[in-house]
Amino acid sequence: MGARGLYVGRRAAALLAALLLALLAALLALAALYGRCRQEAPPPPPSPAGPGPAAPPGPAPADGGSGRRLPGHLLPLHYDLELWPRVRPGQAGPFAFSGQVNITVRCRQDTDAAVLHSSGLRSRGAAVVRGPLPEPGAALEVAGLRQEEAEVAVLELRGRLRAGRRYVLQLGFQGRLEEGVDGLFLTRYTDQGRSSMLIASQLEPTYARRVYPCFDEPAMKATFNIRIVHDPSYVALSNMPAIDVSEMKDENGSLWTVTTFNTSLKMSTYLTAFVICDFDYVTRTERGNKIRIWARKEAVKNGYVDYALNITGPILSFLEDLLNVSYPLPKTDLVALPDFGAGGMENWGLMTFQESSLMYLPSDKLTSRKAMIAIIVSHELGHQWFGNLVTMNWWNDLWLNEGLASYFEYLGATFVEPKLSLDKIFYDHVVQPVLREDNEIGVRSLSESEDKIKGSFSLMSLFDSITYNKGASITWMLSGFLTEKLFMRALTSYLKEFSFSNANQDDLWTHIQMVVDAQDEVQLPASVKQIMDSWTCQNGFPVLTLNLTTGTISQEQFLNKKNENNTDSYNNTWIIPISWMRNGSSQPLMWLDKSSKVFPEIQASESEYDWILLNVNLSGYYRVNYDKLNLKRLARVLESDPKAIPAVSRFQLIDDVFALTQFGYIQIETALELTKYLAREDELFIWNVVLLNLVPENLEGTLKNYEVYPLLKVLFIKMLMLWKMTILLTCWLGLQDCLNLSSELYAKWMDNPEYKIPFLIRRTVCCYGIAVGSDKEWNFAWEMYNHTNSTKEDKDILLSAMSCAKESWLLYRYLQYGLSDTLFSSNCTSIIILYVVTKDIGHRIAWEFVMENWPLLSARYGKELLHDVLKIMGRFVNTDVQIQELQVFYNTTLEENERVATTLLLEFTKFENMERRELLTKVANWLQKNVDD
């Protein structure tokens, strides 16, 4: 960090790197997504004639794909697929693609119709059904091709397909190629000062049907022969290595390149992948596996993808050795896309990433950036086994893909970045956030029954923190009580049994049980299925209550006791592994397998130095509610010798007591008693959880309006005297040193636009550099936002930073800019409004702007923007007059049924704000008594 390294200190800098990495990775990891397919008859050559008569297009695709299941009469064995995107460099559009797919199927039940998935595609030429194979020339007459709702196409036949026989379905198709992030999409970008285009795909969960007619279900695996026709100036990539590159002419005599790829392994349709681009790459070979990292030529030339190349092979080898299962492909491509909707996608042999997830600037010396890339790359590499080699049978068990990959991402990242405390990031970034979400009655369980995930169910809703973070947390707990050695042995057995196939969670439990039964070191209180189903098939999680005097531990579901809808009728119980320590010494694992149980070994003596700690290092997915006696003893330990309690357990203690306060289990004063020791706390991830609870992110802009702010300022400044705190906190507190530093670094950037503000503090420096500056600083940010070489990541930072201005006219001008289609893409307008409305001086300006421009905003965004703004405006609603003011506007813009719901929401928000004010008054009173001026 150069001369400014003294600002946080050498050790603190490393920890700050880990903390802010976690915060950044949280934004990217929400989306860490997406794995594999044989040959019978090649597709006919591309037709030199123009497109034939087109059938009507299918219905508009449902958002996120539907859970409509196919009847199962036909099982795909092999696809011969040709794709031809009709794109030339420099073309303005509109663009289209065409193709031909020949699907070899086995008939499992007699039928007179072939039902498969197709969405938004037009038929091209006549559909043909050949067979039964291998009879030469045999075919069935096709009566018609009918498109049904729910993304399904039906080939009606004038004969019957017979069970046990094989057939080939031949379908030509065409579709629109649009700019987007799903299906087959086009992206425009700038490279070396020139405008360019690329074509890429994102097919998970159910977007393969938008690209080619197929059996688009994860259990309908097949092999694939893929051929891509493309402009000669581009290179084409797919799951397997290219085996032939040839030329052909279209109906106009124009030359096209045809790239043919080797036959794939057996895989699901959502794992097929296509990239057509003008990228460069760097390459190395690891254990015979050819690894290439593709990116914009400028990025490759500058060495931005060298780090990704250096870690990909070692992580793959590490996972091969750990799991004792070889990576089965001969090549691995990773592609950095300038615009991509996910952090990464695990397509077998052709992984795609958002640029920022794969690029490391050699000039950026902060290792946290490397760690973020290592985590994301490791997640997608983990999928090569969990998701690609073995795929969940249906989306209800998506956690078998994403939860396990989210667990292995930390093992792989730790292997290549051992100096960083990635275990602490795991608790801060994975476990703690999902504990904050998984506590309401409406939250789903980790694994649902297949019957629930069907029909119009939006599959994209499953790609959430429950699937990723809870799945990883449960896996962490499982590995802990089994021991990692037994857990890996079970996973090896599971992977080998279901390679190139599908499994559900019961299959995993079976293989773990087999390993447990074959040894006698680890003894479980019930079957693996009984234990684990209590965690995966029930929503929520337990809170354990300890009575130190009697040695009793009881469990109940952790729910908000202040919410009248949370009744006692929810009697979920879990089989809970309890790791614990007494007076700093680890003790043997205990199990709670009923609602309450007495453990004589944890009864305390009368000595005030006799204390108990449960759930050591947050090894279990639950919270702990200690009685007052034990809490008092723990507080004493923290004040006298905080290191006697492990760092992760200190983190857990703080987070648990504040969560228990929020949900009505204990009083806020009890939680605050545990913060008295913080002057001696040197772990940044623990400070992060303290700040999260005392200064919630959604209150950062409004907390200054409460009397607690100056008291918190006194508290934190006292801590700063003893230990250098983060730049973000110190700027928020208004400390002049921090504001001066932000101005200095921002001015240095203005003097030399080539200068790079250190990545970890770039967002904070830009925000406060603009906040303490004038229109000169704001205008520079605007200029850099529009600079052609600005990365998407930098643009996102500047988009936020420009809302930090303290002058009203600048914020109003910014909002006006947001309305312009020529200055911003339409999706930026709502983001700008939401950024401004969260600021302490911006919420009123943004609200008046929304009211003034509602006709235009409503036409562009509908009611969604209004609902988003309302959620944020709710923080500022404290009186009936304010509610009435908002209500007048809603009465003129909302339908009658929406008005009722809005009124209720406003009233609830007012109640929440009153509760918050009451809570913060208690905090202020406690601080007045416990913090000296």
Side-chain angles (χ1 to χ4, degrees):
M1 295 177 68
R4 289 286 173 181
L6 294 174
Y7 195 73
V8 291
R10 186 183 299 269
R11 181 168 181 227
L15 295 169
L16 171 60
L19 164 65
L20 293 186
L21 157 68
L23 298 178
L24 178 61
L27 298 175
L28 297 167
L30 269 178
L33 304 172
Y34 328 143
R36 205 173 161 261
C37 297
R38 173 182 173 308
Q39 169 180 14
E40 199 69 60
S47 170
D63 287 343
S66 77
R68 164 77 183 264
R69 304 293 295 268
L70 296 177
H73 297 156
L74 302 176
L75 179 68
L77 303 175
H78 178 76
Y79 292 77
D80 283 294
L81 172 63
E82 176 188 278
L83 281 179
W84 186 354
R86 310 290 178 121
V87 175
R88 297 288 196 185
Q91 271 185 321
F95 299 103
F97 66 91
S98 61
Q100 175 75 30
V101 65
N102 297 350
I103 312 173
T104 303
V105 299
R106 176 181 290 115
C107 184
R108 304 163 85 180
Q109 182 179 329
D110 286 9
T111 180
D112 59 3
V115 183
L116 67 165
H117 287 113
S118 178
S119 176
L121 300 173
R122 294 175 179 266
S123 63
R124 184 172 180 268
V128 176
V129 176
R130 294 198 299 109
L133 301 178
E135 296 178 16
L140 277 79
E141 185 179 351
V142 177
L145 175 60
R146 184 178 79 252
Q147 183 75 42
E148 290 188 351
E149 293 184 8
E151 309 176 347
V152 168
V154 180
L155 269 175
E156 297 172 326
L157 308 174
R158 300 193 193 280
R160 294 181 71 77
L161 303 176
R162 299 297 180 183
R165 308 301 297 271
R166 287 179 300 140
Y167 300 85
V168 179
L169 315 179
Q170 298 183 343
L171 301 111
F173 56 90
Q174 59 191 37
R176 292 186 296 271
L177 182 61
E178 298 176 321
E179 294 184 50
V181 291
D182 296 321
L184 191 68
F185 60 89
L186 182 139
T187 294
R188 300 179 189 273
Y189 65 97
T190 301
D191 190 8
Q192 298 178 324
R194 294 188 303 108
S195 295
S196 301
M197 295 187 296
L198 65 80
I199 298 161
S201 63
Q202 168 57 43
L203 306 188
E204 188 180 36
T206 56
Y207 300 124
R209 64 192 68 175
R210 296 188 187 183
V211 183
Y212 59 98
C214 57
F215 295 82
D216 199 11
E217 296 188 8
M220 292 188 167
K221 291 188 172 186
T223 54
F224 286 77
N225 277 0
I226 292 170
R227 179 164 65 179
I228 297 177
V229 183
H230 56 93
D231 184 88
S233 65
Y234 293 134
V235 63
L237 305 172
S238 189
N239 304 82
M240 298 299 289
I243 56 173
D244 182 66
V245 178
S246 59
E247 294 180 345
M248 60 162 278
K249 291 183 178 180
D250 63 15
E251 62 273 17
N252 299 316
S254 296
L255 197 65
W256 296 83
T257 295
V258 182
T259 301
T260 304
F261 300 91
N262 210 346
T263 304
S264 78
L265 302 175
K266 192 177 178 186
M267 65 183 184
S268 305
T269 48
Y270 79 85
L271 292 169
T272 54
F274 324 99
V275 173
I276 303 167
C277 63
D278 182 26
F279 278 1
D280 276 349
Y281 66 88
V282 289
T283 184
R284 65 184 283 182
T285 299
E286 179 103 4
R287 294 184 178 179
N289 175 18
K290 185 176 182 180
I291 299 166
R292 297 180 297 185
I293 315 291
W294 297 79
R296 291 178 293 112
K297 296 176 186 293
E298 185 176 35
V300 172
K301 180 181 177 182
N302 291 334
Y304 294 172
V305 294
D306 290 353
Y307 176 71
L309 179 68
N310 291 338
I311 65 172
T312 298
I315 293 174
L316 274 171
S317 297
F318 167 75
L319 292 173
E320 278 188 322
D321 295 341
L322 185 65
L323 296 166
N324 196 26
V325 177
S326 297
Y327 177 71
L329 295 183
K331 68 96 174 176
T332 303
D333 287 319
L334 286 73
V335 185
L337 298 175
D339 194 10
F340 191 52
M345 173 62 207
E346 69 266 18
N347 315 301
W348 222 353
L350 180 58
M351 285 164 267
T352 45
F353 296 82
Q354 172 60 248
E355 268 192 354
S356 59
S357 302
L358 211 56
M359 289 191 185
Y360 174 74
L361 280 60
S363 60
D364 192 345
K365 301 304 180 186
L366 294 172
T367 55
S368 65
R369 178 70 175 181
K370 288 183 175 180
M372 184 199 73
I373 295 168
I375 286 172
I376 295 172
V377 169
S378 187
H379 180 99
E380 306 308 330
L381 294 177
H383 272 306
Q384 307 308 297
W385 287 266
F386 301 100
N388 299 7
L389 183 65
V390 179
T391 312
M392 77 272 144
N393 192 60
W394 182 241
W395 300 103
N396 63 307
D397 277 333
L398 179 61
W399 81 270
L400 291 176
N401 283 21
E402 299 299 348
L404 287 168
S406 296
Y407 169 78
F408 276 95
E409 74 186 38
Y410 285 88
L411 300 187
T414 302
F415 176 73
V416 292
E417 291 294 340
K419 293 181 181 179
L420 285 177
S421 301
L422 287 166
D423 57 334
K424 295 173 184 174
I425 299 175
F426 182 82
Y427 298 118
D428 189 20
H429 160 50
V430 177
V431 184
Q432 186 251 19
V434 74
L435 285 173
R436 289 182 165 268
E437 288 188 36
D438 191 21
N439 50 36
E440 298 293 341
I441 291 299
V443 176
R444 65 178 179 84
S445 59
L446 183 58
S447 177
E448 299 277 9
S449 67
E450 284 197 27
D451 290 342
K452 279 192 176 182
I453 315 299
K454 65 179 184 180
S456 60
F457 188 96
S458 175
L459 296 177
M460 277 308 297
S461 67
L462 296 172
F463 290 85
D464 61 6
S465 65
I466 297 297
T467 293
Y468 286 78
N469 292 2
K470 185 173 183 177
S473 302
I474 296 301
T475 304
W476 187 281
M477 179 176 69
L478 173 60
S479 176
F481 71 72
L482 282 177
T483 72
E484 185 175 290
K485 181 179 72 173
L486 291 185
F487 184 49
M488 291 305 162
R489 191 180 300 167
L491 289 180
T492 300
S493 174
Y494 165 81
L495 288 169
K496 290 183 175 179
E497 172 75 19
F498 296 102
S499 289
F500 310 109
S501 186
N502 299 78
N504 57 40
Q505 72 169 19
D506 280 355
D507 295 318
L508 179 57
W509 306 154
T510 296
H511 282 263
I512 295 174
Q513 189 68 58
M514 288 163 51
V515 168
V516 170
D517 291 345
Q519 55 81 55
D520 53 14
E521 291 179 23
V522 175
Q523 299 298 317
L524 302 179
S527 70
V528 172
K529 176 175 171 57
Q530 286 175 306
I531 295 170
M532 295 310 299
D533 279 359
S534 76
W535 296 95
T536 62
C537 297
Q538 298 183 126
N539 71 319
F541 60 87
V543 55
L544 303 191
T545 299
L546 168 66
N547 185 316
L548 195 61
T549 305
T550 64
T552 302
I553 301 178
S554 59
Q555 64 163 295
E556 61 180 303
Q557 185 163 359
F558 184 68
L559 294 170
N560 194 341
K561 290 182 176 293
K562 299 176 183 177
N563 188 342
E564 294 178 359
N565 294 325
N566 291 344
T567 67
D568 292 334
S569 60
Y570 295 92
N571 293 319
N572 289 349
T573 57
W574 289 260
I575 303 177
I576 305 170
I578 305 175
S579 57
W580 65 293
M581 62 167 47
R582 180 180 221 119
N583 307 330
S585 298
S586 295
Q587 305 295 319
L589 188 73
M590 304 184 301
W591 287 88
L592 178 64
D593 54 2
K594 56 185 71 171
S595 59
S596 182
K597 188 174 180 180
V598 175
F599 295 90
E601 59 267 42
I602 64 171
Q603 285 179 303
S605 68
E606 294 182 1
S607 170
E608 62 184 22
Y609 299 101
D610 189 17
W611 52 272
I612 299 292
L613 186 74
L614 303 184
N615 199 15
V616 178
N617 284 330
L618 200 50
S619 55
Y621 185 69
Y622 53 88
R623 294 196 185 277
V624 179
N625 182 15
Y626 296 101
D627 60 9
K628 288 184 178 180
L629 176 62
N630 199 55
L631 267 182
K632 184 178 179 180
R633 293 180 180 182
L634 288 171
R636 180 188 180 93
V637 173
L638 287 173
E639 290 186 61
S640 61
D641 182 16
K643 296 297 175 73
I645 297 176
V648 171
S649 290
R650 301 199 301 275
F651 168 94
Q652 173 201 359
L653 273 171
I654 297 288
D655 195 50
D656 279 359
V657 291
F658 278 105
L660 290 163
T661 296
Q662 182 185 355
F663 276 31
Y665 288 80
I666 62 176
Q667 295 299 310
I668 183 64
E669 293 84 355
T670 304
L672 290 169
E673 288 295 320
L674 283 185
T675 67
K676 286 183 174 180
Y677 88 99
L678 283 173
R680 303 183 63 183
E681 183 55 76
D682 59 359
E683 291 281 0
L684 261 168
F685 82 120
I686 295 175
W687 269 99
N688 179 46
V689 79
V690 172
L691 297 177
L692 182 67
N693 285 287
L694 287 178
V695 190
E697 185 182 355
N698 65 353
L699 281 180
E700 193 178 312
T702 57
L703 197 60
K704 293 179 181 180
N705 299 325
Y706 292 93
E707 62 183 13
V708 73
Y709 174 75
L711 295 164
L712 281 174
K713 185 171 180 176
V714 171
L715 170 67
F716 289 136
I717 289 176
K718 283 176 70 69
M719 301 306 178
L720 286 166
M721 300 299 186
L722 298 163
W723 191 74
K724 300 297 183 183
M725 211 30 228
T726 74
I727 183 173
L728 179 60
L729 173 61
T730 51
C731 281
W732 180 76
L733 291 172
L735 296 190
Q736 199 59 46
D737 282 351
C738 178
L739 299 177
N740 289 344
L741 174 64
S742 294
S743 293
E744 177 187 326
L745 293 178
Y746 194 83
K748 188 174 180 180
W749 185 34
M750 290 177 66
D751 292 339
N752 176 19
E754 297 301 315
Y755 169 71
K756 289 288 186 184
I757 298 170
F759 171 75
L760 284 179
I761 60 174
R762 194 175 301 161
R763 185 176 293 271
T764 299
V765 166
C766 288
C767 176
Y768 286 96
I770 290 171
V772 300
S774 64
D775 58 332
K776 179 183 175 184
E777 281 74 18
W778 196 97
N779 290 337
F780 176 75
W782 174 250
E783 179 186 339
M784 296 309 295
Y785 178 86
N786 289 289
H787 199 278
T788 55
N789 288 333
S790 291
T791 65
K792 183 178 184 297
E793 194 170 39
D794 284 337
K795 285 179 180 288
D796 290 341
I797 288 172
L798 290 169
L799 204 64
S800 170
M802 286 186 284
S803 71
C804 297
K806 295 297 184 185
E807 297 186 45
S808 300
W809 71 272
L810 281 174
L811 291 178
Y812 187 78
R813 186 180 73 176
Y814 188 30
L815 291 166
Q816 289 287 351
Y817 282 3
L819 284 180
S820 170
D821 285 335
T822 58
L823 297 177
F824 286 106
S825 62
S826 60
N827 65 322
C828 283
T829 312
S830 61
I831 295 171
I832 291 169
I833 293 171
L834 295 175
Y835 275 141
V836 173
V837 80
T838 57
K839 302 301 186 291
D840 48 357
I841 71 162
H843 73 274
R844 189 75 206 175
I845 297 168
W847 177 244
E848 290 175 354
F849 178 82
V850 168
M851 290 193 291
E852 289 171 10
N853 296 280
W854 181 246
L856 176 59
L857 293 171
S858 178
R860 189 178 288 180
Y861 300 108
K863 301 293 192 316
E864 268 191 41
L865 174 63
L866 187 59
H867 293 156
D868 289 341
V869 172
L870 171 62
K871 287 177 188 174
I872 299 170
M873 283 298 297
R875 299 179 204 159
F876 305 92
V877 175
N878 294 299
T879 67
D880 289 333
V881 172
Q882 289 172 312
I883 288 181
Q884 288 167 9
E885 182 184 354
L886 294 174
Q887 194 67 54
V888 168
F889 175 68
Y890 293 132
N891 286 344
T892 62
T893 58
L894 298 178
E895 301 297 331
E896 187 173 351
N897 62 326
E898 291 179 305
R899 289 181 214 155
V900 174
T902 300
T903 302
L904 291 173
L905 179 58
L906 287 171
E907 289 289 350
F908 178 71
T909 302
K910 175 190 168 186
F911 172 75
E912 272 194 328
N913 290 345
M914 290 170 59
E915 265 201 339
R916 182 184 300 121
R917 184 171 289 279
E918 183 182 331
L919 177 67
L920 291 174
T921 300
K922 290 182 178 180
V923 174
N925 291 338
W926 186 90
L927 289 171
Q928 283 176 330
K929 294 176 184 176
N930 291 277
V931 179
D932 298 328
D933 291 335

